[in-house]
Amino acid sequence: MIKYVLNGNIIEQEETTTILESASIQGIKIPTLCNNEHLTPFGGCRLCLVDVATEKNPDMKKLMPSCTAKIGEGLIIDTHSPKVIQSRRFILAMLISRSPKAEELRSIAKEIGLPEESSKQTAAEKYLFNDAPSIVNTNCILCGLCVRACAEIPMRDAISFSARGMERTVKTPFEKYAETCIGCGSCAYVCPTNTITIEEVV
Ligand code: SF4
Ligand code: FES
């Protein structure tokens, strides 16, 4: 067991626990998007960022994804600091700019207080909501849920990430019909943006 501070309270927990799990045990909800309890944590969307400092350097705070970062002896963790809330809003606005119609993203926006009215948005949020979609709207937010679901549930690896940076996308091998796909639909089921849909071919 280790001791650390979570939102001002001293917590004792097993050291293998992630910050997200430990916060959840304490009844603290951290928003997540690319996390799924049945799949390996990936830390891709960064929505679950929290502020982490140490007892030795309490002012040296670092933003870390709580779904992959583990708790540690003497850590001081803040799940809802102003910096965390601002970062989450910005990250979600970026994700919405890629997938403006995704209902799951809109519902998280309400949860974390990211307003849809431009009068209440920051300049960066306004840009991402209004101007960026025409440039970056791809619908896929690269959360990796489909890739992990395919690899870890039916264990088929029929899709994977391809390329880097702006070119990064999810594809079948060589963009051809994936021979290993069994049509289980796991990828479509977990996709938060409905980028993957199932079509029945008879
Ligand atoms: S297709 Fe869907 S599940 Fe796959 S990475 Fe894109 S948004 Fe995530
Ligand atoms: S939920 Fe933690 S990085 Fe996506």
Side-chain angles (χ1 to χ4, degrees):
M1 298 293 271
I2 56 156
K3 267 192 195 170
Y4 79 102
V5 176
L6 180 65
N7 294 352
N9 298 311
I10 298 171
I11 307 291
E12 259 190 272
Q13 207 107 59
E14 281 182 36
E15 62 181 331
T16 51
T17 319
T18 63
I19 296 172
L20 182 68
E21 289 164 341
S22 183
S24 165
I25 292 166
Q26 304 308 316
I28 297 166
K29 186 163 170 22
I30 298 173
T32 60
L33 187 56
C34 72
N35 192 60
N36 180 308
E37 59 179 339
H38 303 295
L39 302 174
T40 308
F42 172 57
C45 74
R46 317 309 266 188
L47 200 64
C48 67
L49 290 176
V50 292
D51 249 338
V52 181
T54 60
E55 269 171 4
K56 277 189 189 160
N57 289 305
D59 295 327
M60 289 268 291
K61 292 177 184 164
K62 215 164 109 180
L63 286 172
M64 294 178 84
S66 62
C67 64
T68 49
K70 300 255 187 338
I71 56 170
E73 188 71 38
L75 289 184
I76 302 171
I77 299 171
D78 193 336
T79 61
H80 288 78
S81 68
K83 189 169 118 200
V84 165
I85 289 169
Q86 194 189 10
S87 304
R88 277 187 199 141
R89 277 176 59 149
F90 181 73
I91 288 163
L92 192 61
M94 266 198 323
L95 297 175
I96 289 177
S97 75
R98 290 182 68 95
S99 184
K101 293 200 177 85
E103 279 174 24
E104 192 167 333
L105 302 189
R106 298 279 171 177
S107 125
I108 297 174
K110 280 202 187 100
E111 195 188 314
I112 67 167
L114 172 63
E116 291 204 29
E117 306 90 326
S118 56
S119 58
K120 294 181 185 163
Q121 293 169 343
T122 64
E125 288 165 359
K126 243 181 248 169
Y127 171 75
L128 289 167
F129 266 77
N130 303 317
D131 304 325
S134 57
I135 310 164
V136 295
N137 179 0
T138 64
N139 214 44
C140 174
I141 53 168
L142 301 171
C143 68
L145 278 167
C146 56
V147 174
R148 280 174 289 150
C150 185
E152 296 177 25
I153 299 170
M155 293 190 269
R156 307 306 288 185
D157 289 308
I159 46 177
S160 59
F161 281 119
S162 156
R164 289 173 186 275
M166 292 293 281
E167 307 298 316
R168 193 161 168 82
T169 179
V170 172
K171 284 186 176 154
T172 54
F174 308 107
E175 288 186 68
K176 297 225 165 84
Y177 176 77
E179 298 289 341
T180 54
C181 176
I182 53 169
C184 69
S186 304
C187 53
Y189 182 73
V190 294
C191 179
T193 59
N194 292 325
T195 302
I196 302 181
T197 53
I198 299 285
E199 194 180 319
E200 203 165 326
V201 181
V202 284

